[in-house]
Amino acid sequence: MDMAKLRARLLGVLVSLTGLLAATGGYPVTAAALPDSLWFDARAWSALTVRDGRLTDGLGREVVLRGYNVSGETKLEENGGLPFASVADARRSAAALRTLGGGNTVRFLLSWAHAEPARGRTDTAYLAAVTDQMRPFLDAGIRVLPDFHQDLYSRHLFDEGSWYTGDGAPQWAVDAGNYPAESCGICLFWGQNITQNQAVTKASYDFWHNAYGVQDAFLATARQTMAYLAQHLTDDEFAGVMGFDPYNEPYAGAYDSGQTSRTWERNVLLPFYERFRARMDAAGWQDKPAFVEPNLFWNANISSQKQEGGLLDAGTLGSRYVFNTHFYDQKAISGILMWGKAGDGQYAGDFATVRDRAAALGTAAVVSEFGHPLSGSVSDKAPTVVKAMYQALDSRLPGASWWNDPAASGPVLSGTQWQWDLYSGRHHEAMNGNPDKVLTSGDAWNGEDLSAVALDDSGSPELRQDARLLDRLYPSATAGTTLAFTYEDRSRDGSTTLTWNPVPSSLPDVAQLMGSGQYGLLVWRSDGSAAPTELHLPASFPAASTTVVSDLGTAAGLPAYTGSNPIAVADEPGGAGGKRLLLTAAGPTGVHYALVTNGATAPSTSLLSAARTELSAWAAKEIS
């Protein structure tokens, strides 16, 4: 056993002992795996599992994962199928994602083509580079979900003169099939290739039917990749790798005679996931869930594209799987099928369907891709579309009805926005190897432009979307069960402030306290743990000007966490500079609430008391 792994195991024993002491009232100061860690953090980081349909950490707290995909750069060739040109760029990206983007999670894209450039030969140099670029995120306290990514099966289906490109499978896998020359016909969007381009549909069909042994080869490479990561990350680092996304946006390519999208999921896709799960177990990932995606079109919001699915015949997936899906508003992206902007509750129904499918499957849900173009003819919709998507992740209710029925809010969904690409607008990608077609703008991939971040002229990361929208208040870890949550970010559409969740007139003191500021409200049932409930505090919530009104007490300005104060602030683990609100409700279980706002300016004791009285009465009435 190497010294790093030995130290990690000794630390685990120490943390277990200190957690026991804290639970009995003591508060020892201990070493921690990550900078800025508190006594409970190492144990919390030690695991991510599914329990009672929710994601939970090593302390059993309910976890919400929020972050971004890192990144579409993997789909390009300019950096050899890696998310970054260097480890330094990965480190810079991780720090910015934590402090500017408010993320605690990344979906980390990998390339099969680069992992297995020749049949049966794993490129360990590529895997070493992947591991080195993954490590800065883990060091920053960001959980990582690796994803073997593909779109349109492979770029090797396309030639230098093609209008489109793909990513995923290696050249040898394409050569094995002798596929027809690619052609999408009259296609306005690259995604139409999925169903209209015979080269893509035939290659996809062959993968799912293991023609030429390509699926066997993929699974063997996946196992070797997972084994490599398990062996070359320390135990502490590997604990932050939360599972694996086996295959991005699966689609049959074509259905056999008599087959439907639903029977394809049951008879083809689910057996593939079982095979992948077996490779995870063999590679030492037996304690980590597989984040499995249903048929790509199961939740399309254009009726002509929608296909029955959502793993309807999977039974109970349980703790070894997570229901992992994507959502884009294709109507809004089309520029034709949705006029105007998104509004309050626009996607409440779509995301409620995600919650309901996960509940039926007996597991948790993650929306691992969502977003909207930031340039082009429909980019004016992005501020409202993305706000409505985050709203739907936070709660299954529109803002207009949240206060009147918070018990129906549902679990807070985890999600990773597409995407976080440092090189946005600064690429140098020879499309399909064509030196006369070098792409530099946007994502440099099929005309897309969705990155929430870019580098300024000095090389520093800066947001391309409103920070109020992206750096959000959310319950990253709840010691118990979340009963209701809402966040009014007051993000902007141009010069217009979007307020979709106004405080009702029945709570005048609460409304006065908030003013025109941002606010969030969490209601949870505690489990009696000594470990606190945590909310990520956006940069717009500095400790000195953040107000909390809770049944646990009130605070106008947040004190530093000492272990004895029920409302406090602390740094997030990882040393990137992010902040978190800590709410400790140790002792008997019960229902608690906490209102968090940056709108109050030196609130009086009487106003804080009046707001607390209103909220207590509201919670007693609305939450059983």
Side-chain angles (χ1 to χ4, degrees):
M1 180 183 298
D2 64 35
M3 288 303 296
K5 290 182 181 286
L6 179 60
R7 286 194 299 270
R9 293 190 179 183
L10 290 173
L11 176 63
V13 173
L14 182 59
V15 168
S16 296
L17 291 173
T18 57
L20 177 62
L21 288 171
T24 58
Y27 178 67
V29 178
T30 70
L34 295 172
D36 297 326
S37 289
L38 297 172
W39 63 267
F40 53 88
D41 284 322
R43 186 174 170 192
W45 178 261
S46 67
L48 185 79
T49 56
V50 178
R51 189 181 69 184
D52 299 329
R54 310 286 178 102
L55 292 170
T56 59
D57 65 14
L59 292 166
R61 297 180 302 175
E62 180 182 304
V63 168
V64 172
L65 307 171
R66 290 287 173 87
Y68 304 84
N69 282 260
V70 178
S71 73
E73 175 66 24
T74 300
K75 297 157 67 167
L76 308 181
E77 288 298 304
E78 61 186 5
N79 284 322
L82 292 167
F84 302 100
S86 65
V87 173
D89 279 358
R91 188 173 299 112
R92 176 167 45 170
S93 180
L97 189 145
R98 198 74 154 134
T99 57
L100 296 179
N104 64 5
T105 302
V106 292
R107 181 169 177 251
F108 194 97
L109 275 61
L110 306 177
S111 167
W112 177 23
H114 290 86
E116 190 186 9
R119 184 190 282 269
R121 181 176 71 82
T122 302
D123 187 342
T124 55
Y126 175 76
L127 297 186
V130 162
T131 307
D132 287 344
Q133 293 191 4
M134 189 179 291
R135 190 170 283 116
F137 291 90
L138 298 166
D139 290 346
I142 297 170
R143 292 191 187 270
V144 172
L145 175 64
D147 156 48
F148 262 124
H149 207 82
Q150 72 81 39
D151 295 283
L152 309 185
Y153 191 69
S154 172
R155 87 177 180 95
H156 299 291
L157 290 170
F158 300 82
D159 59 35
E160 285 190 355
S162 293
W163 289 7
Y164 299 101
T165 190
D167 68 284
Q171 177 79 63
W172 64 261
V174 171
D175 290 346
N178 192 29
Y179 298 111
E182 69 83 16
S183 174
C184 192
I186 302 175
C187 288
L188 301 178
F189 304 99
W190 72 260
Q192 292 175 267
N193 285 272
I194 297 170
T195 56
Q196 293 180 213
N197 190 325
Q198 287 196 11
V200 174
T201 60
K202 289 181 180 297
S204 299
Y205 179 92
D206 281 352
F207 176 84
W208 295 114
H209 289 77
N210 198 26
Y212 320 110
V214 292
Q215 189 180 118
D216 288 340
F218 172 81
L219 290 168
T221 298
R223 175 180 173 176
Q224 292 185 51
T225 299
M226 290 185 283
Y228 188 96
L229 290 170
Q231 293 163 8
H232 290 81
L233 294 170
T234 68
D235 286 352
D236 280 341
E237 291 168 340
F238 188 53
V241 179
M242 57 195 192
F244 212 104
D245 185 343
Y247 199 90
N248 180 68
E249 297 182 351
Y251 176 63
Y255 295 119
D256 290 321
S257 177
Q259 190 178 55
T260 66
S261 55
R262 180 167 178 169
T263 59
W264 177 79
E265 277 195 346
R266 183 185 67 208
N267 299 330
V268 178
L269 184 60
L270 283 170
F272 166 76
Y273 287 146
E274 290 169 352
R275 297 184 75 198
F276 195 97
R277 176 73 261 183
R279 271 62 176 186
M280 290 179 69
D281 295 346
W285 293 54
Q286 59 270 21
D287 295 329
K288 300 178 185 290
F291 287 67
V292 295
E293 301 186 33
N295 172 15
L296 164 63
F297 297 108
W298 84 280
N299 62 343
N301 71 340
I302 297 176
S303 58
S304 62
Q305 293 184 355
K306 191 168 185 175
Q307 299 181 14
E308 188 178 30
L311 306 182
L312 290 169
D313 299 301
T316 300
L317 290 178
S319 62
R320 285 169 58 78
Y321 297 88
V322 170
F323 183 63
N324 172 21
T325 189
H326 299 171
F327 183 79
Y328 293 96
D329 186 346
Q330 297 297 338
K331 291 181 180 179
I333 292 173
S334 74
I336 299 171
L337 299 175
M338 176 186 138
W339 296 100
K341 309 293 183 70
D344 177 27
Q346 184 92 8
Y347 307 115
D350 297 292
F351 284 56
T353 300
V354 173
R355 288 177 171 89
D356 292 343
R357 282 304 309 136
L361 291 164
T363 190
V366 172
V367 183
S368 63
E369 283 191 30
F370 63 94
H372 190 82
L374 299 182
S375 63
S377 61
V378 299
S379 60
D380 65 310
K381 302 178 190 297
T384 58
V385 166
V386 178
K387 177 182 172 76
M389 290 179 177
Y390 274 114
Q391 180 194 49
L393 287 172
D394 288 343
S395 170
R396 65 189 296 152
L397 297 173
S401 60
W402 190 90
W403 286 92
N404 295 325
D405 191 18
S409 188
V412 182
L413 285 177
S414 295
T416 50
Q417 184 176 334
W418 185 271
Q419 63 162 324
W420 190 267
D421 175 18
L422 281 189
Y423 312 114
S424 173
R426 297 174 183 268
H427 292 283
H428 193 82
E429 173 72 2
M431 183 176 177
N432 296 317
N434 188 341
D436 297 322
K437 196 174 183 180
V438 176
L439 307 180
T440 59
S441 62
D443 300 344
W445 196 86
N446 286 340
E448 291 201 332
D449 183 13
L450 285 92
S451 179
V453 71
L455 297 177
D456 64 18
D457 290 340
S458 70
S460 298
E462 62 179 0
L463 294 179
R464 300 179 64 224
Q465 295 174 271
D466 189 349
R468 303 169 192 84
L469 173 65
L470 298 182
D471 187 12
R472 306 179 63 79
L473 188 82
Y474 60 92
S476 53
T478 300
T481 303
T482 299
L483 301 178
F485 176 71
T486 189
Y487 179 53
E488 180 48 78
D489 57 47
R490 305 217 197 251
S491 57
R492 288 158 171 75
D493 180 9
S495 61
T496 301
T497 299
L498 302 171
T499 302
W500 291 353
N501 194 351
V503 180
S505 59
S506 58
L507 300 171
D509 294 310
V510 174
Q512 180 183 344
L513 182 72
M514 293 177 189
S516 59
Q518 298 168 292
Y519 78 85
L521 179 55
L522 173 68
V523 184
W524 77 104
R525 188 181 302 279
S526 66
D527 61 5
S529 169
T533 288
E534 300 185 35
L535 291 92
H536 168 72
L537 276 180
S540 59
F541 283 72
S545 55
T546 295
T547 298
V548 176
V549 177
S550 170
D551 67 289
L552 303 175
T554 61
L558 302 178
Y561 180 76
T562 64
S564 60
N565 39 355
I567 301 172
V569 66
D571 291 332
E572 290 175 322
K579 300 293 184 181
R580 50 182 165 164
L581 173 66
L582 302 177
L583 303 169
T584 304
T589 62
V591 174
H592 304 279
Y593 67 85
L595 171 74
V596 188
T597 183
N598 59 7
T601 303
S604 65
T605 301
S606 60
L607 179 58
L608 290 171
S609 178
R612 186 182 185 192
T613 298
E614 285 184 350
L615 284 170
S616 294
W618 168 84
K621 176 185 175 184
E622 300 293 345
I623 305 290
S624 59

